[in-house]
Amino acid sequence: MVERFVVVPVDTVGMGPREREHPGTTEAHPAPDTGGSVGSGAGTAEEKEPLEDSVFEPQDPEAAVPILQYNREPNKYGDGVPKENSPFINNTEHDKNNSYDGTNMALFEEEMDSHPMVSSLLNKLANYTNLTQGAHEHEEADEEEGSKKKAVKSPQMGTFMGVYLPCLQNILGVILFLRLTWIVGTAGILESLGIVGLCCTCTMLTAISMSAIATNGVVPAGGSYYMISRSLGPEFGGAVGLCFYLGTTFAGAMYILGTIEILLTYIVPQAAIFKAERKEEEVDALFNNMRVYGTCCLILMAIVVFVGVKYVNKLALVFLACVILSILAIYAGVIKSIFEPPDFPVCMLGNRTLQNHGFDKCLKTEVIDNLTVTTKLWSAFCDGPELNATCNEYFANNNLTLVQGIPGLTSGVISENMWSEYGPLGMMVENKKLSSFGGSDPTKDIYLPYIVNDITTFFTLLVGIYFPSVTGIMAGSNRSGDLRDAQKSIPVGTILAIATTSFIYISSVILFGACIEGVLLRDKFGDSVKGNLVIGTLSWPSPWVIVIGSFFSCCGAGLQSLTGAPRLLQAIARDGIVPFLQVFGHGKANGEPTWALLLTAGICEIGILIASLDAVAPILSMFFLMCYLFVNLACAVQTLLRTPNWRPRFKYYHWTLSFLGMSLCLAIMFISSWYYAIVAMVIAGCIYKYIEYRGAEKEWGDGIRGLSLNAARYALIRLEDAPPHTKNWRPQVLVLLNLDSDQGVKHPRLLSLTTQLKAGKGLTIVGNVLQGTYLIKEAEAKKAEQNIKSAMSAERTKGFCHVVVSSNLRDGVSHLIQSAGLGGMKHNTVLMSWPGTWRQASDPLSWKNFIETVRETTAAHQALLVAKNVDSFPTNQDRLGEGTIDVWWVVHDGGLLMLLPFLLRQHKVWRKCKMRIFTVAQMDDNSIQMKKDLQMFLYHLRLDAEVEVVEMHDNDISAFTYEKTLVMEQRSQMLKQMHLSRTEREREIQSITDESRSSIRRKNQGATENSTVSRQSSTAEDNQEDEAQLIHDKNTASHVALNDKAEAGPEQVHMTWTKEKLFSERNRNREPNANVAVRDLFNMKPNQSNVRRMHTAVKLNEVVVNKSQGAHLVLLNMPGPPKNRGGDENYMEFLEVLLEGLNRVLLVRGGGREVITIYS
């Protein structure tokens, strides 16, 4: 549950006379439950230095000393995170206004705002008091009038009153009084001891685990929910907390049903509304009465709880006294039975037990005034009271016998009750020692006044019915705030209470079996002893002691359940981990959980409508067992992880005991009712997943986090740093994102593509680089990380975010590629977007960084995916219709091209797309054989795809290719002018443009060919078709010469710039007539290697556009950058030409290893 610590400041100057006399008096200033703004501390400039906590509540001027109050309401600090995140009680975040005036610690004075003095911390801890959110505070809130406050009393309850008696009251209850004798008679003494031993061992082991958790620091009110949620995390805590809530609520229903059963069966049977005319209608009539009276009782109890919990608390000791007196009456009756057994005869017909309601004498006939007359019993089995009336055959053949129901402790009946007597529904309760003569059909005789089984009995059923009688062990831990020494009292009191109740149960099993006749033990409702409570027949001085005591005990337990369950639900709701429960966190002005009480009453009504105590008991057993299971799990996890904060004062625990307790809980769940166990687990699982997906993020330092960390560490150590086997290879992606000036994600579709490619599997690291130093850019880095995480959440990309601040972008990207990931969990693929602005003067380094990234991924043996026009890629909500994913397999670099379409088609966005594979055949290739081989290869790879072989003939290099190459090289040479300012470069480009226009005018008549340049050329030539014409005309002759001298080698044709030429150009630029250097650009001859590359790009682009222009996605081998860095900008031009006219393109470059295999 969410807690809040409020420091109430004190103005000692404003003390009244009474306060000056008693400066140690402490007064409460409860924080308002419904929230509100946080006030500022009252004070003037003349006052002393401010208090160490600056979170102030509106204060009373008569306040005495500052106290640190504990309040379990949602905190008002806006983050929804409880203040237990702070390692100590105080929150140093609010100490920043403190000044330090000493000289002894001047070395630390600059850190005083975040690191307070130890004396200050100890002062706060000394003033700390942990108030519970129970009835005590609500009672105080009810009684406050105006500014009058009650003084807060320090916790004074010891082990006996604070833990032992509450646990005793919660453990002993309805099952002991109403069902234990029936369980002993049905299961026998030995199996009953097994049931009691199994359940008590389970709760004892759970109590040991609970004691370890409860003594590991301060446990505020909330009991098992608080312990589990803080030990196992909000998901487990919420799931088990709600299960515990449901268990407590159904326990209330069970206690109410027990109350009504005692009332209608043993106290005032004539109050029944529904009466059965025939025996077969008795069960239905009883259930209907239970439903009506149970609902009325529930409404009455809910009103009592709503009006004031203080009345329930004040009556608690009365109810406990009833329980203790009843148990003492049982033991007194057992002792008395040794000397003088009570007289409760049981009438037997043959060996069958009779209901003793409608007759007084266990006789067929009796002599009155020398006349033989029939009895009331005769009329029950015969057609009439006449002696010659037709009677039931079994009644006629067997005699009536009186058996003493309580033969006494020394009677030796214990040997007869040692073994079990299970049977189906309707089986008659028989005494095997008595003789019986066959008669009519027993299936028809069950409607006669015999005692019969009302349910089918078996061992596992009895375990489920009995288990609620050992629950209630959390009562002590729930009161931790009221204890003088909780860390000592909780273990001692709880374990002593369990030991005491275990002794009571075990001794009761033995004593019941030794004192009571077996047929009476199996008589669930005491019909054979005139409707007396069976356990009451044994008690002394009167059966009414047990009846009245058990009645008030069940009433008290029901009220306690209706008091505790709504507060538990309110605590869960106020934690904010289950969004749809938020409304139940509100209540009355004093904090009473009104809405939670209404829901509790509604769920309790469901249990009452079931109407059968035997059917409700296994339901609440499941929920309590789930809770106990996770208490044991929490202790075991914390112990095995050796968490540094795991330092419980209770030392007598061990993880093996916790695991044994957990195993016992699980076993009892399935033993008692496997289908209820599955339902309870499904409910808990659904709540767990709901909290995981929709609940608030909480960091409580829970053990599951530690367990995950340990598991991750173990797996990473086991995971070899070597690359995985080809069969296990999948793209572990490092996504390089670009952010805008506001640290927003530029291309969120890149994350969509990652999600579609990964489908939640494997590793995804989303990286970004900020330029600068970390000390200056820390805030921007955090903002960028937050924005990236938000974008990842929006695009459902599961992975990690890594923002690096580096002095330059190039180094930052290099660091990410080298160091992202951990151990064997490193990325093997880099995904990035195409730098669309690489030609723009505003982004001059983008293409250089891009090419260096390509080189570094190659050097690191990592695959590279480059998405062009990434903003046109589909979102995760899109559903592409019928279409194709085209793979252009030009060179083989590991098979990644084949694998990517298969992975994409696993996602619903691409599911309807078909895969087509194109490969390129040269002149000397057998294209038909290539197609067959490729189809066979795909068959072995288990991939479904259409195959097409495209033939590319060795055409002559066109003039258009020469022109594009020449324009590209001229642009590159212009941009390589060294030490030119921006204005000088613009002047050079303008002079080229002017020269081009004059040349076009001079040579316009001689032009015989016409060609255009690509729109991807530089800005200076981009829209100048006339200039392209000029370049073409001036170099036509050189094109022909190059074709003739193609074999001469590059050294014979001066197509590139040498160092000398560069210096000469630079010197020439400094001459007054700089246009001379510019004119030499038009005399250049294109590099033969560049011409061939451009030819490949143009021809391949034509083929790809022709075949795949309508495809949803085109995957293409990405050629590598040149080894000579001098041609980097030309490489970008080649790629632009290659991809021209295509919409969605994914360039793929393998990592140098096989990623797909034909083997299984």
Side-chain angles (χ1 to χ4, degrees):
M1 60 200 67
V2 174
E3 298 83 16
R4 184 158 71 96
F5 294 95
V6 181
V7 173
V8 183
V10 173
D11 182 6
T12 55
V13 178
M15 281 187 179
R18 179 176 56 84
E19 289 84 351
R20 291 193 188 99
E21 292 174 8
H22 305 283
T25 305
T26 306
E27 292 198 3
H29 296 265
D33 288 289
T34 54
S37 60
V38 178
S40 60
T44 62
E46 290 80 10
E47 290 178 354
K48 298 179 182 179
E49 60 181 87
L51 291 169
E52 297 189 11
D53 281 275
S54 58
V55 182
F56 296 152
E57 290 287 337
Q59 51 184 311
D60 189 340
E62 295 185 359
V65 295
I67 65 166
L68 186 58
Q69 278 193 341
Y70 179 74
N71 191 5
R72 274 184 351 185
E73 65 173 345
N75 60 63
K76 306 300 186 298
Y77 304 103
D79 55 0
V81 179
K83 289 301 159 190
E84 63 206 26
N85 286 351
S86 178
F88 295 103
I89 303 301
N90 68 312
N91 190 350
T92 56
E93 180 182 338
H94 304 291
D95 293 339
K96 295 183 179 179
N97 294 330
N98 292 350
S99 58
Y100 179 72
D101 298 330
T103 56
N104 291 337
M105 293 294 170
L107 187 61
F108 299 95
E109 63 185 1
E110 292 186 356
E111 297 181 339
M112 285 298 167
D113 57 345
S114 58
H115 299 77
M117 294 289 292
V118 173
S119 57
S120 153
L121 173 66
L122 294 177
N123 182 42
K124 290 179 186 177
L125 291 174
N127 289 327
Y128 167 68
T129 177
N130 179 15
L131 295 179
T132 62
Q133 182 80 355
H136 184 60
E137 304 93 299
H138 298 317
E139 182 180 336
E140 289 179 0
D142 283 337
E143 294 177 359
E144 284 177 4
E145 296 179 1
S147 61
K148 183 181 179 181
K149 319 276 188 188
K150 289 178 69 73
V152 175
K153 300 176 182 177
S154 60
Q156 292 297 326
M157 297 182 75
T159 304
F160 185 75
M161 289 296 295
V163 181
Y164 180 76
L165 289 182
C167 284
L168 213 62
Q169 180 185 0
N170 280 265
I171 295 173
L172 299 171
V174 61
I175 301 295
L176 170 65
F177 300 118
L178 296 184
R179 292 292 182 269
L180 190 58
T181 53
W182 173 72
I183 290 173
V184 173
T186 306
I189 294 175
L190 292 179
E191 291 188 25
S192 296
L193 288 175
I195 293 172
V196 173
L198 186 69
C199 296
C200 290
T201 303
C202 175
T203 54
M204 180 62 81
L205 293 173
T206 304
I208 291 172
S209 300
M210 185 201 70
S211 299
I213 298 174
T215 58
N216 186 49
V218 178
V219 177
S224 59
Y225 163 68
Y226 184 92
M227 290 188 290
I228 294 171
S229 62
R230 270 54 176 183
S231 298
L232 293 178
E235 294 88 1
F236 278 111
V240 180
L242 285 176
C243 282
F244 191 52
Y245 164 74
L246 291 173
T248 308
T249 305
F250 275 103
M254 183 186 73
Y255 291 129
I256 292 173
L257 289 174
T259 303
I260 303 305
E261 183 176 312
I262 294 170
L263 180 71
L264 294 181
T265 309
Y266 307 114
I267 299 179
V268 279
Q270 60 272 19
I273 298 173
F274 300 91
K275 299 184 185 296
E277 296 180 359
R278 294 179 299 172
K279 187 184 176 185
E280 53 264 35
E281 298 172 356
E282 286 180 356
V283 175
D284 293 335
L286 175 64
F287 284 173
N288 289 331
N289 286 319
M290 299 276 271
R291 292 182 181 110
V292 173
Y293 278 96
T295 303
C296 296
C297 183
L298 172 64
I299 294 172
L300 186 64
M301 286 185 175
I303 291 173
V304 170
V305 172
F306 177 78
V307 168
V309 183
K310 54 186 176 181
Y311 303 116
V312 179
N313 258 18
K314 288 176 181 177
L315 290 172
L317 282 177
V318 177
F319 298 140
L320 178 60
C322 292
V323 175
I324 294 175
L325 285 175
S326 300
I327 293 172
L328 291 177
I330 294 170
Y331 284 114
V334 169
I335 296 171
K336 182 176 178 292
S337 71
I338 300 174
F339 314 105
E340 186 184 346
D343 183 29
F344 283 98
V346 177
C347 186
M348 307 290 297
L349 177 61
N351 63 357
R352 298 178 182 178
T353 312
L354 294 177
Q355 290 183 343
N356 193 356
H357 284 307
F359 59 91
D360 296 324
K361 299 177 181 179
C362 187
L363 297 170
K364 293 182 182 180
T365 61
E366 59 180 339
V367 178
I368 300 177
D369 298 332
N370 294 325
L371 291 176
T372 302
V373 295
T374 59
T375 61
K376 292 182 179 179
L377 189 59
W378 179 282
S379 301
F381 286 89
C382 301
D383 294 340
E386 300 82 10
L387 289 171
N388 58 354
T390 305
C391 294
N392 178 268
E393 185 178 353
Y394 188 86
F395 179 77
N397 294 341
N398 291 275
N399 295 323
L400 290 169
T401 312
L402 272 179
V403 176
Q404 193 59 40
I406 313 291
L409 187 64
T410 57
S411 63
V413 74
I414 187 171
S415 59
E416 302 169 12
N417 293 330
M418 199 67 70
W419 311 107
S420 61
E421 291 283 348
Y422 300 119
L425 170 68
M427 186 187 84
M428 296 182 187
V429 176
E430 299 175 343
N431 188 335
K432 302 296 183 184
K433 293 189 305 178
L434 300 178
S435 59
S436 173
F437 300 98
S440 56
D441 185 5
T443 57
K444 295 179 181 178
D445 288 351
I446 62 173
Y447 299 116
L448 294 171
Y450 293 116
I451 305 295
V452 296
N453 285 353
D454 61 335
I455 56 173
T456 302
T457 54
F458 42 90
F459 177 80
T460 57
L461 173 75
L462 299 185
V463 173
I465 292 175
Y466 172 76
F467 188 82
S469 64
V470 296
T471 60
I473 62 174
M474 301 289 182
S477 63
N478 290 348
R479 296 167 177 259
S480 60
D482 299 325
L483 302 175
R484 190 183 306 113
D485 185 359
Q487 311 221 345
K488 176 185 176 184
S489 298
I490 289 176
V492 174
T494 305
I495 292 173
L496 276 179
I498 293 175
T500 304
T501 53
S502 298
F503 171 78
I504 290 173
Y505 285 131
I506 292 171
S507 62
S508 297
V509 167
I510 297 172
L511 293 176
F512 292 164
C515 293
I516 305 175
E517 179 64 41
V519 291
L520 181 56
L521 284 174
R522 296 199 295 280
D523 182 6
K524 185 185 289 186
F525 301 107
D527 291 324
S528 61
V529 285
K530 296 187 179 295
N532 278 302
L533 181 62
V534 175
I535 197 173
T537 61
L538 181 62
S539 64
W540 180 87
S542 166
W544 286 101
V545 175
I546 298 288
V547 172
I548 301 301
S550 59
F551 177 78
F552 283 111
S553 168
C554 291
C555 281
L559 283 171
Q560 292 284 358
S561 296
L562 288 178
T563 303
R567 277 161 183 74
L568 179 59
L569 181 64
Q570 186 183 43
I572 298 170
R574 285 184 168 181
D575 259 355
I577 57 174
V578 185
F580 69 84
L581 292 180
Q582 294 287 346
V583 66
F584 299 109
H586 307 296
K588 292 197 294 185
N590 64 351
E592 284 290 333
T594 309
W595 294 107
L597 178 61
L598 287 175
L599 180 66
T600 302
I603 298 174
C604 202
E605 177 65 18
I606 296 173
I608 289 172
L609 292 177
I610 295 174
S612 171
L613 187 70
D614 302 321
V616 172
I619 296 176
L620 66 100
S621 295
M622 291 305 121
F623 292 122
F624 279 119
L625 282 164
M626 286 281 290
C627 176
Y628 296 165
L629 184 149
F630 281 102
V631 168
N632 285 297
L633 176 63
C635 180
V637 166
Q638 299 275 32
T639 307
L640 288 174
L641 290 179
R642 295 185 178 89
T643 312
N645 191 51
W646 180 245
R647 303 184 299 274
R649 289 192 176 278
F650 180 75
K651 301 298 182 185
Y652 304 101
Y653 69 93
H654 195 268
W655 66 268
T656 53
L657 295 177
S658 299
F659 267 114
L660 180 60
M662 187 176 66
S663 305
L664 269 180
C665 290
L666 194 63
I668 294 173
M669 284 177 70
F670 281 93
I671 284 173
S672 56
S673 176
W674 63 268
Y675 45 89
Y676 279 158
I678 291 174
V679 170
M681 287 182 169
V682 167
I683 291 173
C686 291
I687 297 170
Y688 179 94
K689 297 306 289 184
Y690 177 80
I691 296 173
E692 187 179 34
Y693 282 109
R694 297 294 304 277
E697 287 292 330
K698 298 285 182 183
E699 175 51 68
W700 286 333
D702 51 85
I704 292 297
R705 294 270 180 153
L707 187 63
S708 301
L709 184 63
N710 259 25
R713 180 189 63 84
Y714 177 77
L716 284 172
I717 291 174
R718 289 287 305 273
L719 193 63
E720 297 180 2
D721 206 4
H725 191 275
T726 303
K727 289 185 288 187
N728 296 326
W729 195 96
R730 67 165 59 246
Q732 318 285 3
V733 183
L734 169 63
V735 185
L736 298 180
L737 273 187
N738 293 326
L739 303 181
D740 55 26
S741 57
D742 294 330
Q743 311 306 327
V745 177
K746 274 188 179 179
H747 304 295
R749 299 288 178 87
L750 206 59
L751 295 174
S752 303
L753 177 61
T754 307
T755 303
Q756 295 156 21
L757 187 64
K758 303 291 294 177
K761 303 296 190 299
L763 175 70
T764 300
I765 303 174
V766 181
N768 175 254
V769 179
L770 295 180
Q771 192 166 355
T773 59
Y774 184 71
L775 292 178
I776 299 174
K777 296 277 188 176
E778 178 190 4
E780 287 185 33
K782 289 183 178 177
K783 181 182 177 183
E785 187 170 348
Q786 191 60 42
N787 291 345
I788 291 174
K789 286 181 178 178
S790 299
M792 291 172 67
S793 176
E795 300 295 338
R796 297 181 182 176
T797 304
K798 296 181 180 179
F800 308 99
C801 175
H802 196 176
V803 176
V804 172
V805 181
S806 178
S807 56
N808 60 74
L809 297 178
R810 175 69 255 124
D811 290 345
V813 173
S814 178
H815 294 157
L816 276 177
I817 292 174
Q818 293 177 59
S819 61
L822 182 64
M825 282 294 287
K826 292 181 70 69
H827 62 279
N828 54 29
T829 305
V830 177
L831 173 62
M832 60 190 301
S833 60
W834 173 261
T837 61
W838 71 274
R839 283 203 183 104
Q840 298 178 9
S842 61
D843 198 7
L845 295 177
S846 63
W847 62 271
K848 292 183 179 178
N849 291 339
F850 174 78
I851 295 174
E852 288 302 312
T853 302
V854 176
R855 286 196 173 103
E856 289 194 358
T857 54
T858 305
H861 302 290
Q862 295 173 5
L864 177 65
L865 309 177
V866 180
K868 191 168 189 295
N869 300 327
V870 69
D871 292 329
S872 67
F873 275 62
T875 65
N876 292 326
Q877 286 72 38
D878 294 337
R879 300 292 180 269
L880 297 179
E882 297 292 335
T884 60
I885 300 175
D886 288 359
V887 177
W888 285 85
W889 192 20
V890 180
V891 295
H892 179 65
D893 55 358
L896 185 58
L897 273 171
M898 309 289 186
L899 190 60
L900 289 176
F902 170 77
L903 295 176
L904 282 174
R905 289 177 64 205
Q906 305 304 305
H907 197 275
K908 50 193 171 184
V909 172
W910 303 91
R911 191 161 292 158
K912 294 183 180 180
C913 297
K914 295 181 179 179
M915 179 178 168
R916 294 194 302 179
I917 294 184
F918 297 89
T919 189
V920 178
Q922 302 297 326
M923 281 296 292
D924 52 350
D925 292 330
N926 184 343
S927 58
I928 297 176
Q929 187 61 39
M930 278 183 66
K931 184 172 182 178
K932 290 181 179 178
D933 293 343
L934 182 54
Q935 286 174 336
M936 183 58 64
F937 180 56
L938 291 177
Y939 176 78
H940 287 308
L941 289 176
R942 290 91 65 201
L943 295 176
D944 297 324
E946 298 178 13
V947 174
E948 187 170 341
V949 177
V950 178
E951 296 181 354
M952 289 184 63
H953 303 290
D954 288 340
N955 295 334
D956 292 336
I957 298 176
S958 65
F960 174 72
T961 304
Y962 277 107
E963 291 165 11
K964 289 190 78 69
T965 309
L966 189 59
V967 169
M968 174 187 73
E969 290 189 354
Q970 287 174 339
R971 177 183 180 279
S972 300
Q973 297 295 2
M974 284 190 294
L975 296 180
K976 279 185 178 180
Q977 301 293 328
M978 300 185 68
H979 303 298
L980 286 180
S981 67
R982 182 183 180 90
T983 55
E984 290 174 326
R985 187 175 300 167
E986 290 175 354
R987 194 181 303 120
E988 291 287 345
I989 294 174
Q990 184 62 40
S991 65
I992 295 173
T993 306
D994 295 340
E995 180 68 23
S996 301
R997 288 172 178 165
S998 61
S999 299
I1000 290 170
R1001 283 195 295 272
R1002 288 196 302 270
K1003 299 200 174 190
N1004 194 29
Q1005 286 90 13
T1008 56
E1009 294 179 25
N1010 184 23
S1011 105
T1012 61
V1013 256
S1014 168
R1015 58 184 173 181
Q1016 279 81 15
S1017 301
S1018 68
T1019 308
E1021 291 92 356
D1022 215 5
N1023 298 318
Q1024 302 293 339
E1025 293 189 4
D1026 294 340
E1027 182 181 350
Q1029 181 68 42
L1030 160 73
I1031 296 170
H1032 173 264
D1033 292 342
K1034 292 190 67 174
N1035 293 283
T1036 303
S1038 62
H1039 295 170
V1040 178
L1042 281 170
N1043 283 331
D1044 293 339
K1045 299 179 181 181
E1047 303 298 328
E1051 66 276 6
Q1052 298 181 9
V1053 182
H1054 299 288
M1055 294 180 293
T1056 59
W1057 281 40
T1058 62
K1059 188 175 181 181
E1060 293 77 16
K1061 188 169 183 180
L1062 177 64
F1063 281 108
S1064 64
E1065 278 298 321
R1066 184 187 301 168
N1067 294 331
R1068 206 177 304 167
N1069 286 337
R1070 294 170 183 165
E1071 295 175 1
N1073 190 6
N1075 289 338
V1076 177
V1078 177
R1079 291 190 192 99
D1080 286 345
L1081 290 174
F1082 297 103
N1083 298 323
M1084 288 176 55
K1085 297 178 181 179
N1087 184 299
Q1088 180 64 23
S1089 176
N1090 288 344
V1091 171
R1092 286 188 287 106
R1093 288 190 173 92
M1094 184 64 77
H1095 174 71
T1096 303
V1098 170
K1099 296 301 293 181
L1100 191 56
N1101 175 259
E1102 289 177 0
V1103 175
V1104 174
V1105 169
N1106 182 40
K1107 297 283 187 181
S1108 302
Q1109 194 166 22
H1112 286 316
L1113 180 64
V1114 176
L1115 282 82
L1116 187 64
N1117 281 115
M1118 181 179 183
K1123 294 181 180 178
N1124 179 15
R1125 297 176 184 269
D1128 283 355
E1129 63 273 21
N1130 298 337
Y1131 172 70
M1132 300 295 290
E1133 285 285 359
F1134 294 143
L1135 293 182
E1136 283 281 9
V1137 172
L1138 179 63
L1139 305 178
E1140 185 178 359
L1142 297 173
N1143 184 20
R1144 297 182 191 135
V1145 184
L1146 194 61
L1147 288 172
V1148 181
R1149 184 162 176 78
R1153 58 160 296 170
E1154 292 293 331
V1155 300
I1156 194 167
T1157 178
I1158 63 174
Y1159 299 106
S1160 61

